[in-house]
């Protein structure tokens, strides 16, 4: 297939380079791993969950997390449904996160831990576009959806949503925005840098060469 967008690149890589162990991470004092096929299943379940929660192509979805498996899972799920990913440094204060959520107009936010959720709860009332807060770990905070619940909902409805997920992925163009990365804001408020699918695919091609 011709690789022009990140959704093309993702699907091409899964087909051309399947792996029994695509991811490995520390868990309960040992190691856990995940195959590329199982990762794809989780991405599609997450994507279906996003569709059920009303995420539209072009919507901004924020990601407040350290580096971990779920970060990649959510990133690809958002790309597959045409959403724009807004990564946020997990070290930022609640008021700094509030500005990024307001400026980007994020409709959903994925958080890694209850600590990150607690920051959002302090400013959520001032983020009018934010409809959903999803936590990777078991969240006890009110109005927060655990990641496993989103994946379960997606799995239950995946047969109905699979065609729409693939259609949205096929519709992406190289000039479409894939992610908005905010600057540090050392000389004023952070500025959102809009990176397109084509920007990042060309970087991957350069590395491959």
């Amino acid at each position: 297939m011709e690789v022009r967008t990140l959704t093309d690149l993702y699907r091409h890589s899964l087909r051309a380079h399947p792996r029994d162990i695509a991811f490995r991470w520390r868990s309960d004092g040992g190691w856990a791993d995940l195959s590329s096929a199982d990762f794809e299943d989780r991405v599609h379940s997450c994507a279906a969950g996003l569709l059920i929660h009303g995420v539209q192509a072009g919507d901004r979805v924020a990601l407040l997390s350290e580096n971990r498996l779920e970060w990649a899972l959510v990133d690809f799920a958002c790309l597959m449904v045409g959403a724009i990913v807004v990564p946020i440094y997990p070290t930022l204060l609640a008021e700094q996160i509030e500005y990024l959520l307001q400026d980007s107009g994020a409709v959903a936010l994925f958080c890694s831990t209850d600590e990150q959720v607690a920051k959002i709860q302090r400013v959520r009332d001032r983020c009018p576009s934010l409809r959903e807060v999803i936590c990777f770990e078991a969240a006890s905070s009110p109005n927060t959806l655990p990641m496993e619940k989103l994946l379960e909902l997606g799995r239950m409805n995946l047969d109905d949503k699979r065609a729409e997920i693939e259609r949205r992925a096929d519709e992406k163009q190289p000039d479409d925005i894939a992610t908005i990365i905010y600057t540090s804001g050392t000389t004023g408020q952070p500025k959102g840098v809009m990176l397109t699918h084509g920007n990042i695919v060309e970087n991957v091609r350069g590395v491959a060469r």
Side-chain angles (χ1 to χ4, degrees), residues 28-119:
D28 298 326
W31 290 92
D33 53 54
L34 190 73
S35 70
S36 54
D38 287 339
F39 180 74
E40 182 180 19
D41 287 343
R42 293 194 192 187
V43 168
H44 274 75
S45 295
C46 184
L50 291 173
L51 294 184
I52 293 168
H53 279 273
V55 173
Q56 302 295 318
D59 279 350
R60 274 74 65 203
V61 175
L63 186 48
L64 176 63
S65 174
E66 304 78 15
N67 184 24
R68 54 190 291 169
L69 173 68
E70 293 89 349
W71 208 109
L73 192 161
V74 171
D75 193 24
F76 284 117
C78 288
L79 292 171
M80 288 293 286
V81 300
I84 297 170
V85 182
V86 182
I88 300 177
Y89 288 112
T91 54
L92 294 184
L93 302 176
E95 291 72 22
Q96 295 171 304
I97 297 169
E98 174 191 347
Y99 173 80
L100 301 187
L101 294 175
Q102 290 176 346
D103 189 68
S104 65
V107 301
L109 169 67
F110 286 83
C111 297
S112 57
T113 63
D114 278 343
E115 177 185 358
Q116 301 298 343
V117 171
K119 297 179 188 178

Side-chain angles (χ1 to χ4, degrees), residues 6-188:
L6 288 172
T7 51
D8 292 340
L9 183 62
Y10 165 69
R11 291 179 292 179
H12 167 74
S13 297
L14 287 171
R15 302 295 173 267
H17 308 287
R19 294 173 180 267
D20 291 334
I21 300 177
F23 295 87
R24 175 168 282 175
W25 64 97
R26 295 286 293 179
S27 178
D28 298 326
W31 290 92
D33 53 54
L34 190 73
S35 70
S36 54
D38 287 339
F39 180 74
E40 182 180 19
D41 287 343
R42 293 194 192 187
V43 168
H44 274 75
S45 295
C46 184
L50 291 173
L51 294 184
I52 293 168
H53 279 273
V55 173
Q56 302 295 318
D59 279 350
R60 274 74 65 203
V61 175
L63 186 48
L64 176 63
S65 174
E66 304 78 15
N67 184 24
R68 54 190 291 169
L69 173 68
E70 293 89 349
W71 208 109
L73 192 161
V74 171
D75 193 24
F76 284 117
C78 288
L79 292 171
M80 288 293 286
V81 300
I84 297 170
V85 182
V86 182
I88 300 177
Y89 288 112
T91 54
L92 294 184
L93 302 176
E95 291 72 22
Q96 295 171 304
I97 297 169
E98 174 191 347
Y99 173 80
L100 301 187
L101 294 175
Q102 290 176 346
D103 189 68
S104 65
V107 301
L109 169 67
F110 286 83
C111 297
S112 57
T113 63
D114 278 343
E115 177 185 358
Q116 301 298 343
V117 171
K119 297 179 188 178
I120 302 309
Q121 300 291 34
R122 295 202 294 271
V123 301
R124 187 169 182 173
D125 289 344
R126 300 195 293 274
C127 301
S129 64
L130 188 63
R131 302 195 305 263
E132 300 288 345
V133 175
I134 303 101
C135 187
F136 294 158
E137 299 177 4
S140 57
S141 303
N143 302 318
T144 302
L145 178 66
M147 180 69 168
E148 279 305 318
K149 291 290 186 183
L150 181 72
L151 293 177
E152 181 182 355
L153 179 65
R155 280 192 292 268
M156 291 171 56
N157 293 275
L158 186 53
D159 288 344
D160 292 335
K161 298 297 182 181
R162 192 181 300 275
E164 183 178 356
I165 293 169
E166 294 298 330
R167 175 183 61 78
R168 288 201 192 185
D170 289 339
E171 288 176 350
K172 299 316 296 176
Q173 298 297 318
D175 289 339
D176 289 340
I177 299 170
T179 185
I180 300 175
I181 299 186
Y182 279 85
T183 62
S184 61
T186 52
T187 57

